[in-house]
Amino acid sequence: MSAQHEAGAATTHRVVILGAGYAGLSAAIQLASRVKRGENVRVTLVNAQERFTERLRLHMSATGQRLAELNIPDLLEGTGAHFERGWVTAVDADAKTVRIDDERVLSYDTLVYALGGVADTAAVPGVEDYAYTLNSAQDAEVLADRLSRLGSGTVVVVGSGLTGVESAAEIAERHPELNVVLLGRDEPGAAMNPKARAYLRSALDRLGVTVRSGVEVVKVLPDMVELAGGESVAADAVLWTSGTRMSPLAAAAGLTVDERGRVVTDATLRSVSHPEVYAVGDAAAIRQGYGVMHGTCQGGMPTGVHAAVSIVRELKGKRPKPFRFGYYHTPVSLGRHDAVVQFTHPDDSPRRLYLTGRMAARYKETVTASPWPTWGRMKKMPASGAFWPRGGRFTRVREA
Ligand SMILES: Cc1cc2nc3c(=O)[nH]c(=O)nc-3n(C[C@H](O)[C@H](O)[C@H](O)COP(=O)(O)OP(=O)(O)OC[C@H]3O[C@@H](n4cnc5c(N)ncnc54)[C@H](O)[C@@H]3O)c2cc1C
């Protein structure tokens, strides 16, 4: 047991937040900023690395672009939250403890589960052995190294979702000497309106990306991928962006999870099986009127803020309020100078309005860089973090 955590445990409410991604950091900064004056609350944020992983820019890391050095303890500075670096290896939901690096144990009164998710490398045989991923900053750097050494050849990007599209475009722009092939079940930009989708497609064509949709990759081999039906596509490097895989920790702890391993929450973001556990970001299955939210930073940060606000309400003896969130945009970069921003209805269906070209690229960059000013403002004025679209009638959950 960590001596630090045992000290004063009888009087101090211990909140442990697992995962310092966009959602976990939002929770930590919001909570610590709200409780720092006087209340007896200790906030501890646990993360595998001390450096913040800018997931939204991992396709840039994968093409050798240097990102800003964002240090988690620096981001927490002034809030009073503690940072604990380490890999969470177990959660004991009965004993209310988490184990870190198999050796340290932290006790909690309230847990915020924010471990995110990664591309599913167990989806088909060969991905674990032969494909590259953007599952961590290190993985992106390994791919960057491979791409920089190839000289010529073919890079196959599997997955025509937004990560696949952004990655294919970025690789094609940075490595014009390589053939880039984008393979996926759906057409790129499938959820956009027809004009925005057509723009996205023409941008991929301009960058020289070969797009094949309606295909199913069934196996990855050292120098090719195999498609359902037996056809193969030669590949000098394969980037796997398809599917999502969650940490097994929540299920192993006995928390109720959905079919994808996400923690199922009630309307206030508490685990339906363990109300002292909040789940936020990609790791949570959060139901809104339009269905279960899908993993995004735009929705993940509000979930972290909401969990923090709810914890403060509970500490004051008040009931936490239901979480409501409506989507408003889907910004997709197409290299460094082009992008499409599809504006959406709160249920994420496309509006007619969309932006393209340099203006869209600037919009996307502003969005990607927005967490730091948001967190900076939140430290001084916690209430400023609680502004996001609630989604009106789209997010009203009707009981069956
Ligand atoms: C290339 C790319 C581009 C994207 N672009 C967009 C975009 O434009 N807009 C958008 O809204 N979303 C985008 N996304 C999705 C977005 O990145 C995620 O939805 C977001 O990161 C989710 O935030 P999170 O805090 O839930 O999880 P994460 O950001 O993944 O953070 C989870 C944290 O937990 C840590 N962790 C995990 N397991 C452990 C463990 N066992 N022990 C200790 N630490 C652990 C991880 O290291 C990480 O720091 C993109 C994703 C990628 C890969």
Side-chain angles (χ1 to χ4, degrees):
M1 180 79 56
S2 149
Q4 211 181 23
H5 265 254
E6 280 299 272
T11 51
T12 301
H13 189 93
R14 298 154 302 178
V15 181
V16 174
I17 300 169
L18 304 183
Y22 296 94
L25 254 168
S26 297
I29 292 173
Q30 176 70 211
L31 179 59
S33 304
R34 279 187 186 260
V35 298
K36 70 181 166 201
R37 283 183 213 94
E39 277 146 283
N40 220 351
V41 180
R42 182 181 173 88
V43 181
T44 305
L45 177 61
V46 185
N47 198 63
Q49 317 81 14
E50 195 160 306
R51 185 178 175 187
F52 178 75
T53 300
E54 262 193 288
R55 256 190 123 59
L56 306 191
R57 294 192 196 271
L58 285 184
H59 55 308
M60 295 168 65
S61 305
T63 49
Q65 298 172 68
R66 282 180 66 83
L67 305 185
E69 292 283 338
L70 298 162
N71 188 281
I72 295 166
D74 290 348
L75 292 168
L76 294 175
E77 205 178 288
T79 64
H82 301 265
F83 177 65
E84 186 96 22
R85 180 185 168 167
W87 185 253
V88 183
T89 48
V91 175
D92 186 330
D94 296 324
K96 295 192 190 170
T97 57
V98 297
R99 190 169 280 277
I100 300 170
D101 290 333
D102 277 331
E103 51 196 29
R104 279 167 289 156
V105 175
L106 297 184
S107 298
Y108 63 82
D109 300 298
T110 303
L111 186 72
V112 180
Y113 190 91
L115 293 179
V118 292
D120 186 6
T121 52
V124 304
V127 179
E128 290 276 6
D129 297 325
Y130 306 119
Y132 295 83
T133 69
L134 299 182
N135 285 352
S136 68
Q138 292 75 12
D139 292 339
E141 279 159 22
V142 173
L143 174 59
D145 184 56
R146 170 74 174 152
L147 296 180
S148 69
R149 289 164 193 267
L150 270 179
S152 64
T154 300
V155 180
V156 168
V157 178
V158 182
S160 50
L162 302 181
T163 302
V165 169
E166 290 195 331
S167 302
E170 203 79 25
I171 295 170
E173 184 176 273
R174 288 275 152 175
H175 292 283
E177 74 283 7
L178 299 174
N179 299 318
V180 180
V181 179
L182 177 62
L183 302 179
R185 290 186 195 109
D186 300 319
E187 216 182 319
M192 296 182 161
N193 77 36
K195 286 184 179 166
R197 190 182 330 139
Y199 185 90
L200 186 146
R201 183 58 191 263
S202 68
L204 291 174
D205 290 346
R206 172 179 57 75
L207 288 163
V209 176
T210 305
V211 176
R212 290 190 58 189
S213 41
V215 298
E216 181 85 22
V217 174
V218 293
K219 197 170 190 180
V220 178
L221 295 151
D223 53 0
M224 66 176 83
V225 298
E226 216 174 271
L227 307 183
E231 190 191 344
S232 57
V233 179
D236 297 285
V238 176
L239 169 59
W240 189 267
T241 70
S242 183
T244 45
R245 179 165 50 87
M246 297 297 146
S247 164
L249 291 177
L255 301 180
T256 300
V257 296
D258 71 355
E259 68 292 347
R260 295 202 213 161
R262 297 178 296 185
V263 177
V264 179
T265 73
D266 65 13
T268 68
L269 305 187
R270 290 178 303 196
S271 151
V272 290
S273 56
H274 294 75
E276 67 286 0
V277 178
Y278 282 82
V280 297
D282 285 9
I286 300 168
R287 183 163 289 285
Q288 298 286 296
Y290 48 75
V292 176
M293 286 173 68
H294 62 89
T296 62
C297 180
Q298 65 170 308
M301 289 178 64
T303 62
V305 171
H306 188 85
V309 171
S310 299
I311 292 167
V312 173
R313 286 183 69 83
E314 285 195 295
L315 289 170
K316 290 182 175 161
K318 296 180 185 169
R319 277 166 45 161
K321 291 182 177 170
F323 174 76
R324 292 178 63 187
F325 171 80
Y327 297 98
Y328 44 96
H329 65 194
T330 305
V332 186
S333 66
L334 298 164
R336 288 303 84 209
H337 312 290
D338 198 359
V340 182
V341 181
Q342 171 69 70
F343 294 98
T344 64
H345 296 287
D347 63 355
D348 213 26
S349 60
R351 290 182 188 271
R352 279 167 61 179
L353 186 65
Y354 65 99
L355 280 182
T356 58
R358 283 188 183 269
M359 197 189 280
R362 276 200 291 274
Y363 181 107
K364 166 81 183 183
E365 176 52 32
T366 307
V367 169
T368 305
S370 66
W372 337 125
T374 302
W375 290 330
R377 271 194 305 277
M378 232 153 70
K379 286 186 192 176
K380 295 187 195 119
M381 217 191 331
S384 68
F387 287 102
W388 64 81
R390 263 58 176 180
R393 65 185 166 83
F394 287 90
T395 57
R396 223 162 275 140
V397 179
R398 284 174 193 83
E399 297 302 330

